[in-house]
Amino acid sequence: DMKVTQMPRYLIKRMGENVLLECGQDMSHETMYWYRQDPGLGLQLIYISYDVDSNSEGDIPKGYRVSRKKREHFSLILDSAKTNQTSVYFCASSLSGGANTLYFGAGTRLSVL
Amino acid sequence: TQTVSQSDAHVTVFEGDSVELRCNYSYGGSIYLSWYIQHHGHGLQFLLKYYSGNPVVQGVNGFEAEFSKSDSSFHLRKASVHWSDSAVYFCAVSGDYKVVFGSGTRLLVSP
């Protein structure tokens, strides 16, 4: 079954706390992505991972970092979360790059108070 | 730099109507153009994609899109919409790895 799983689905944190968002896929896809979605802005690309330990900044990487130690897992870390990082975060994977279909997780709704 | 513009934030039609959702893009090289659908509370799901060949591509659930190089467009169409087509539709342009999405068009189909 082709699936991208995001945990947790909902998260409330206080400003300054650390946040870990996790994403897993069971398709052995090489490429994984983190996006955030805000009303009226569509999806903004935070990071791309080409494979294990091979990551690249997207369009809005400031305040975020990522980790990919296994092909099936891609984590997004917010060190000292800020209120403007309140958003819905989506993880996606593709077989290899932008030529292939992206498969999305259901999203994590993060509120930073 | 890849950019995608979806000029209509909201489109409302009646069930059985035809609909066209517009997408314009800019990119300097070879690109893939896609459409994705997002139902409320869910992630995006793939609808269709164009890379080369026949400029009209067919997708799932009766959707099709037409590529126009001269207009830099990739508009999505459906001949007869159903209430279940109500969702947000995203156009996307991708090169080798980076995938850039438009801001989305919310389609509301009234019964």
Side-chain angles (χ1 to χ4, degrees):
Chain A
D1 191 24
M2 298 187 293
K3 201 171 174 103
V4 177
T5 304
Q6 290 187 239
M7 294 293 290
R9 290 294 316 277
Y10 302 92
L11 188 60
I12 299 175
K13 287 286 192 178
R14 295 192 181 279
M15 191 169 59
E17 291 185 327
N18 298 331
V19 178
L20 173 65
L21 305 184
E22 305 207 76
C23 175
Q25 48 100 357
D26 61 2
M27 298 167 276
S28 200
H29 283 174
E30 289 183 355
T31 312
M32 297 186 74
Y33 303 81
W34 275 108
Y35 289 89
R36 63 177 282 176
Q37 183 177 31
D38 300 291
L41 295 179
L43 278 78
Q44 297 175 273
L45 179 62
I46 306 173
Y47 268 93
I48 303 171
S49 175
Y50 306 109
D51 211 327
V52 172
D53 283 331
S54 179
N55 308 314
S56 177
E57 294 180 344
D59 295 321
I60 54 160
K62 188 177 179 182
Y64 304 94
R65 60 183 175 94
V66 292
S67 175
R68 192 164 179 206
K69 298 300 182 185
K70 294 183 180 179
R71 178 172 278 192
E72 61 268 24
H73 286 129
F74 189 34
S75 301
L76 181 69
I77 301 119
L78 289 66
D79 294 314
S80 187
K82 300 172 180 52
T83 55
N84 62 8
Q85 292 178 307
T86 292
S87 187
V88 181
Y89 291 86
F90 285 99
C91 172
S93 73
S94 77
L95 182 63
S96 181
N100 300 114
T101 299
L102 265 61
Y103 293 83
F104 281 82
T108 295
R109 183 174 294 276
L110 172 67
S111 296
V112 182
L113 306 178
Chain B
T1 302
Q2 303 150 247
T3 64
V4 183
S5 173
Q6 293 182 248
S7 55
D8 299 316
H10 300 272
V11 172
T12 301
V13 296
F14 289 102
E15 200 167 30
D17 284 351
S18 63
V19 70
E20 179 177 86
L21 305 182
R22 292 180 293 186
C23 173
N24 291 89
Y25 68 91
S26 65
Y27 187 69
S30 298
I31 58 169
Y32 301 85
L33 292 159
S34 306
W35 279 94
Y36 287 77
I37 181 174
Q38 184 183 34
H39 291 285
H40 182 69
H42 294 270
L44 279 69
Q45 290 180 284
F46 174 77
L47 274 181
L48 48 76
K49 178 169 62 184
Y50 172 82
Y51 175 63
S52 65
N54 188 339
V56 179
V57 291
Q58 305 294 326
V60 297
N61 292 337
F63 284 98
E64 67 173 32
E66 184 166 5
F67 167 73
S68 171
K69 188 173 182 178
S70 59
D71 292 340
S72 296
S73 69
F74 188 56
H75 302 327
L76 181 71
R77 300 190 294 245
K78 188 168 182 178
S80 177
V81 295
H82 187 262
W83 64 266
S84 59
D85 293 324
S86 295
V88 182
Y89 292 79
F90 290 94
C91 182
V93 59
S94 51
D96 288 341
Y97 281 91
K98 188 175 179 181
V99 184
V100 176
F101 289 86
S103 55
T105 297
R106 183 177 297 277
L107 175 65
L108 177 62
V109 181
S110 298

